Amino acid sequence: MNNNDKDNIQNKMKLQFSNRSENESFARVAVAAFIAPLDPTVEELTEIKTAVSEAVSNAIIHAYGENENEMVTVECLIEKDRRVVIIVTDNGIGIEDVELAREPLYTSKPDEERSGMGFTVMESFMDKLEVESTPGVGTRVIMIKKLDLAYEF
Amino acid sequence: MNNNDKDNIQNKMKLQFSNRSENESFARVAVAAFIAPLDPTVEELTEIKTAVSEAVSNAIIHAYGENENEMVTVECLIEKDRRVVIIVTDNGIGIEDVELAREPLYTSKPDEERSGMGFTVMESFMDKLEVESTPGVGTRVIMIKKLDLAYEF
Amino acid sequence: MQIEFEMTDDIMIVNLDGELDHHYSSVIREEIDKTIDTFHTKHLIFNFEKVSFMDSSGIGVIMGRYNKISQLGGKLLITGCSEYIDRILEMAGIYTIATRMKNVADSIALIEGDNIEKGAKSENEQ
Amino acid sequence: MQIEFEMTDDIMIVNLDGELDHHYSSVIREEIDKTIDTFHTKHLIFNFEKVSFMDSSGIGVIMGRYNKISQLGGKLLITGCSEYIDRILEMAGIYTIATRMKNVADSIALIEGDNIEKGAKSENEQ
Ligand SMILES: Nc1ncnc2c1ncn2[C@@H]1O[C@H](COP(=O)(O)OP(=O)(O)O)[C@@H](O)[C@H]1O
Ligand SMILES: Nc1ncnc2c1ncn2[C@@H]1O[C@H](COP(=O)(O)OP(=O)(O)O)[C@@H](O)[C@H]1O
């Protein structure tokens, strides 16, 4: 991150929590509360909460298996011009073939009734989705959404 | 923290955010969402949110002055037997005389209409309050509350 | 997330209430399957009217129930979705296997109308 | 946090709505002081009925307004507090400088009753 990026950032937070599925709802509520001062529309808020839920669930389901001692990280940056950047990171098993993983309906866990639509939902609900992953090291999902201008009365 | 403590912990999270007053509400919503699976009473939730608000406001007002580049940390541990531990940490100016600071109505900022009741409220709303502070290094506020048993139907 | 079942003949209405994510999906799944088995349900109506949040875990729940119900020759109907739950279901192609309905009453009518039609047909065939 | 003012003679009712913390307290403070000055308010009634959250920042807001109002010989009344806001105000001894009232109507009656009494008295003295 260069200095230029730093000047861009207006507010930021970083959240780390145990790898437990009950924290999925915690993560999306926390992100929603963090961006609340931007006064997002209900639609924007729902889209962001859904995308966060997808990325965090993936870390919990795929990255670490059932190991509850591991931690999931969610960062949120509010940049100039109402740009919201959300970064979800795990130090789990990683993804061998990111391109394949991002394909709609691809899942490595059909037996657990995963639909393979997680990345597709993130992509559709956010403006931009980047997935960086190294097998055995971990996965980082970066999502960006520019909020509409709030109406000032 | 020894191994015994570690086994006690059922769920934990760590939250870091910019030293901005709009994050006060974010911090208390996040803590409330984190402990929601314990099904606390409305009263317990209100008391915890108020205590978090006091500790976080103190970091923002007293520890760093107006420097928004600094970060405030809130940790929350859920331990066995519904014990909730909340730790608010800053790397700010610290407190010279903790005993004096904890006295009801003592404030170093009466001109900003601070009431000096922050620590008193934390103490009254939580079961236990510990304040560790080193001038020039920072302050750590540890608050503990044991939630009542939830009724199971 | 809360779940409530209503039975009408061989139709089961699944009323979901709250947030449907990965955390709750396994419980929801089990509850529905158990109830299908107990009541020998043929058709399933998912009522999403009170679902305030859903991510792609909901797709898996619906797909899995479709597989179960369709083996028994039953139908799967979905009603009460908010705009964005609809978008998620559409993305996954759920409406190619399940019918989207306006409300529960219409859903029941469709299934029972079908039954009558089929009955009439088989009568005609006699 | 939203704020709304109602005027009745020299009484100003401050209706607060939302969460009163350090972040909002400075705006709230300014708004109230500006409005007191503009309308030459003498008495102040704080209505907390719609305040869903308050921490000790609220104490500072009330204390500061008391200092301003009492210089003008006015009274400060507080109404509509939830149980735990009451606990915070009690801890700080706010009810030694302000009167806790059941509702806004009673608060106005108390202030106006005072005025009448005083008026009657001065008539007697003549
Ligand atoms: N954080 C992660 N760590 C390891 N593998 C992952 C992670 N996220 C996604 N994957 C892989 O990518 C696949 C596709 O993910 P996704 O589109 O979210 O669908 P689903 O979660 O329903 O399987 C997953 O099945 C999994 O194999
Ligand atoms: N995190 C902190 N860093 C530095 N000083 C602090 C911190 N928290 C509290 N203090 C000191 O302790 C005093 C009392 O705090 P408190 O009881 O919360 O009252 P208030 O915030 O209204 O002043 C403060 O006025 C300040 O001087």
Side-chain angles (χ1 to χ4, degrees), chain D residues 80-99:
Chain D
C81 292
S82 67
E83 194 198 335
Y84 81 96
I85 292 182
D86 246 356
R87 268 167 67 195
I88 295 174
L89 296 183
E90 252 166 29
M91 258 181 245
I94 287 291
Y95 292 130
T96 62
I97 57 169
T99 313

Side-chain angles (χ1 to χ4, degrees), chain A residues 10-28:
Chain A
Q10 302 193 319
N11 196 5
K12 67 177 171 188
M13 69 95 162
K14 182 177 180 176
L15 192 62
Q16 289 169 288
F17 49 87
S18 309
N19 183 48
R20 295 167 65 100
S21 63
E22 69 207 73
N23 291 333
E24 289 157 13
S25 112
F26 160 60
R28 53 181 191 262

Side-chain angles (χ1 to χ4, degrees), chain B residues 58-59 62-63 90 93-95 101 106-108 114-119 139:
Chain B
N58 273 355
H62 301 296
D90 65 65
I93 58 163
I95 304 174
Y106 171 81
T107 180
S108 55
R114 299 305 301 164
S115 64
M117 291 300 289
F119 282 131
T139 301

Side-chain angles (χ1 to χ4, degrees), chain A residues 26-40:
Chain A
F26 160 60
R28 53 181 191 262
V29 171
V31 170
F34 184 70
I35 62 172
L38 291 176
D39 216 356

Side-chain angles (χ1 to χ4, degrees), chain B residues 58 62 95-108 115-133 139-144, chain D residues 91:
Chain B
N58 273 355
H62 301 296
I95 304 174
E96 292 276 348
D97 185 342
V98 170
E99 213 180 313
L100 176 66
R102 289 180 66 155
E103 269 179 24
L105 300 172
Y106 171 81
T107 180
S108 55
S115 64
M117 291 300 289
F119 282 131
T120 310
V121 167
M122 292 180 237
E123 208 157 341
S124 145
F125 281 7
M126 303 293 281
D127 293 339
K128 202 176 170 188
L129 171 71
E130 277 174 43
V131 184
E132 299 166 6
S133 192
T139 301
R140 168 180 298 244
V141 174
I142 303 165
M143 300 183 281
I144 300 175
Chain D
M91 258 181 245

Side-chain angles (χ1 to χ4, degrees), chain A residues 100-148:
Chain A
L100 176 67
R102 290 180 65 154
E103 270 179 22
L105 300 174
Y106 171 80
T107 179
S108 55
K109 292 208 190 263
D111 42 317
E112 289 183 20
E113 296 197 349
R114 298 306 300 164
S115 65
M117 292 299 291
F119 281 131
T120 311
V121 167
M122 292 179 235
E123 209 157 342
S124 147
F125 281 7
M126 302 294 280
D127 294 339
K128 202 174 169 189
L129 170 70
E130 278 175 42
V131 183
E132 299 167 5
S133 191
T134 310
V137 176
T139 302
R140 170 180 297 245
V141 173
I142 303 165
M143 301 183 280
I144 300 176
K145 192 180 186 78
K146 200 167 172 311
L147 302 189
D148 279 343

